[in-house]
Amino acid sequence: MSASKRNAGSPPHGGMSEAGSSIKRLRSTSPASGMKYVVVCGGTASGLGKGITASSIAVLLKGCGWQVNMIKIDPYLNVDAGTMSPFEHGETFVLDDGGETDLDLGNYERFLNISLGRDNNITTGKVYQQVIQRERAGEYLGKTVQVVPHITTAIGDWIEDVASRPVKSGTNPDDEGHEADVCVIELGGTVGDIESMPFIEALRQLQYKIGTDNMFVVMVCLVPLISEEQKTKPTQHSVKELRSAGFSPDLLCCRCEVELLPDVRKKIGMFAQLKPEQIISVHNVSEIYKVPLLLKAQNVAEIVANSLKMYLPKGMPDIRDWEQLCRKLDNLEKKVNIALIGKYNMGTDSYLSVTKALQHAAVSVNRKLEITWVNATSLEDGADKDQREEAMALMTAADGLLVPG
């Protein structure tokens, strides 16, 4: 399915949408070295929450008064997500310029209240299509076109071009945008995958070009709980895999069920050659909107700013809107039940923007959302009688019905 836009899906009370109006932009106090980059990659397995981690880091950077742009890299060969099955890849998020993109761009827009374009989503298909078109046009002057340097150079040029474009507001259609101070790049997939290798190499080359003071690398990795013990081996192997590609992490965001123990932090830090404070516990929380608070409590903004040599004023990051939102979420008692009648109900990502819009609408009227999933095929004329009656009963019991278009 194609997702609707952020106006219905922005966090209640704007999340950080109004932060820019209350915090003076600090570009004049930023170093004159140009664009800063924060790269978020993942190890061990997919689905660890790289998108939420990248969005949350961007929220903290925006809370410091900096303008933030975002790019999502998807290593698949598809040109875009428009033809991909919702069962396999979740919703297709449609941007203002008509770009059909990965659902993570929806998270970026909701978290930051910005409007992105189709070029903010880079895929292997797009890059190869561009390079092949250039080769057919003779732009390479008869040279042998190779992954290195031609594909990697095209990726690097694409990143630098998009990062330098003005970032537009998500709710003001007349906004011409502001130049970004920082660009957060999420590399999809898992480090070590064959399809990710050209992108990692391109990012390594970009880091070499602009200097390590201008790129900060975050790795999201897994610390599973097995027999009541937090295991560090998957994280160790992930870091080793990243280093073998010529890239070293500056920060590890460790996904775990419960908060990382101090001894576990030290152990991971020793193997990753990082200080314990650079090992961040990203343990399970009740709402994704609490992740920025989790990162703030562990001084992530300060660590990023120090590494990138960016001036961080006292008292920053200011994310009081997010803190207020999370307190409200914790105190919701009254419930509202909405029956969502859809075709792609296996998992919830197929209707992610719809469910987020419902949640934000519910919070705005002080209600806790409950969604009852109803399979649309159960209501068709040829459906099993018992399934049809069960579906009708679920809809009758709900406070409201929603059929995604």
Side-chain angles (χ1 to χ4, degrees):
M1 65 164 287
S2 295
S4 299
K5 289 302 294 173
R6 83 213 116 267
N7 290 347
S10 298
H13 302 295
M16 279 299 296
S17 62
E18 302 302 324
S21 62
S22 60
I23 301 173
K24 184 179 179 181
R25 290 198 61 227
L26 303 169
R27 186 166 185 82
S28 59
T29 60
S30 298
S33 55
M35 180 65 63
K36 303 290 185 178
Y37 296 92
V38 176
V39 176
V40 179
C41 60
T44 310
S46 59
L48 293 181
K50 294 188 298 296
I52 298 300
T53 301
S55 300
S56 299
I57 291 173
V59 165
L60 295 183
L61 298 176
K62 185 176 181 180
C64 294
W66 299 314
Q67 193 72 33
V68 183
N69 200 350
M70 297 200 72
I71 294 174
K72 172 66 187 298
I73 295 174
D74 285 304
Y76 46 67
L77 278 169
N78 304 66
V79 172
D80 59 39
T83 59
M84 299 177 73
S85 167
F87 288 130
E88 183 171 335
H89 204 256
E91 73 174 11
T92 297
F93 190 78
V94 183
L95 303 171
D96 281 339
D97 64 1
E100 298 177 335
T101 65
D102 183 83
L103 58 84
D104 278 313
L105 275 82
N107 283 324
Y108 304 162
E109 292 199 346
R110 285 188 289 270
F111 270 62
L112 297 178
N113 188 34
I114 58 177
S115 176
L116 301 173
R118 66 176 76 238
D119 289 341
N120 289 80
N121 190 196
I122 305 174
T123 69
T124 298
K126 286 182 180 179
V127 174
Y128 272 78
Q129 184 181 61
Q130 181 191 84
V131 170
I132 290 171
Q133 287 174 347
R134 289 176 177 175
E135 186 274 332
R136 292 290 85 188
E139 292 184 26
Y140 295 111
L141 303 177
K143 291 184 178 180
T144 302
V145 180
Q146 298 173 295
V147 173
V148 180
H150 300 98
I151 294 294
T152 54
T153 298
I155 294 168
D157 290 346
W158 192 313
I159 290 172
E160 289 191 281
D161 173 47
V162 174
S164 65
R165 296 180 188 178
V167 182
K168 298 181 180 180
S169 165
T171 51
N172 182 5
D174 298 322
D175 180 34
E176 295 182 358
H178 299 282
E179 185 179 355
D181 303 294
V182 187
C183 181
V184 179
I185 304 169
E186 180 195 347
L187 174 59
T190 305
V191 172
D193 291 346
I194 293 174
E195 56 263 34
S196 298
M197 290 180 179
F199 293 100
I200 294 176
E201 173 61 18
L203 290 167
R204 187 198 65 78
Q205 291 177 16
L206 179 60
Q207 185 186 53
Y208 178 77
K209 174 183 176 181
I210 64 178
T212 55
D213 289 346
N214 294 312
M215 182 177 287
F216 187 88
V217 181
V218 179
M219 187 172 210
V220 181
C221 44
L222 178 66
V223 180
L225 189 67
I226 302 176
S227 300
E228 303 302 317
E229 181 182 356
Q230 292 179 327
K231 297 292 186 180
T232 65
K233 194 64 70 176
T235 294
Q236 293 177 40
H237 282 293
S238 296
V239 173
K240 180 181 178 182
E241 191 72 41
L242 184 62
R243 282 214 175 105
S244 69
F247 231 24
S248 293
D250 301 298
L251 191 79
L252 292 182
C253 287
C254 300
R255 288 288 291 114
C256 43
E257 294 183 32
V258 296
E259 187 174 0
L260 280 182
L261 298 172
D263 288 344
V264 175
R265 287 180 190 259
K266 291 179 182 178
K267 183 178 181 181
I268 293 174
M270 179 183 68
F271 281 99
Q273 292 182 301
L274 296 172
K275 297 177 181 178
E277 55 265 30
Q278 293 171 277
I279 312 301
I280 306 301
S281 175
V282 188
H283 43 277
N284 293 348
V285 290
S286 57
E287 293 285 348
I288 60 171
Y289 300 121
K290 293 184 178 181
V291 178
L293 278 63
L294 198 64
L295 301 185
K296 180 188 176 184
Q298 298 174 75
N299 303 314
V300 168
E302 290 84 345
I303 295 170
V304 175
N306 289 337
S307 178
L308 294 178
K309 293 181 170 53
M310 299 182 75
Y311 170 67
L312 184 65
K314 186 177 181 180
M316 299 296 184
D318 182 350
I319 57 170
R320 284 174 289 182
D321 289 342
W322 284 85
E323 293 165 353
Q324 179 184 352
L325 168 62
C326 291
R327 284 194 297 269
K328 186 171 185 178
L329 288 169
D330 287 338
N331 293 324
L332 294 176
E333 294 181 357
K334 295 182 179 180
K335 299 179 180 179
V336 59
N337 184 283
I338 303 297
L340 196 152
I341 301 97
K343 182 179 178 181
Y344 306 103
N345 290 357
M346 188 175 66
T348 59
D349 282 354
S350 298
Y351 301 106
L352 186 63
S353 292
V354 175
T355 58
K356 291 303 178 186
L358 284 173
Q359 182 191 22
H360 302 157
V363 172
S364 69
V365 293
N366 300 311
R367 294 293 186 274
K368 187 174 183 178
L369 176 68
E370 289 184 342
I371 294 180
T372 297
W373 295 92
V374 178
N375 194 326
T377 58
S378 300
L379 300 171
E380 294 176 352
D381 292 337
D384 179 79
K385 181 181 178 181
D386 292 339
Q387 291 182 351
R388 185 181 180 88
E389 290 178 353
E390 181 182 356
M392 291 297 294
L394 291 173
M395 292 190 296
T396 302
D399 298 309
L401 306 178
L402 190 147
V403 182

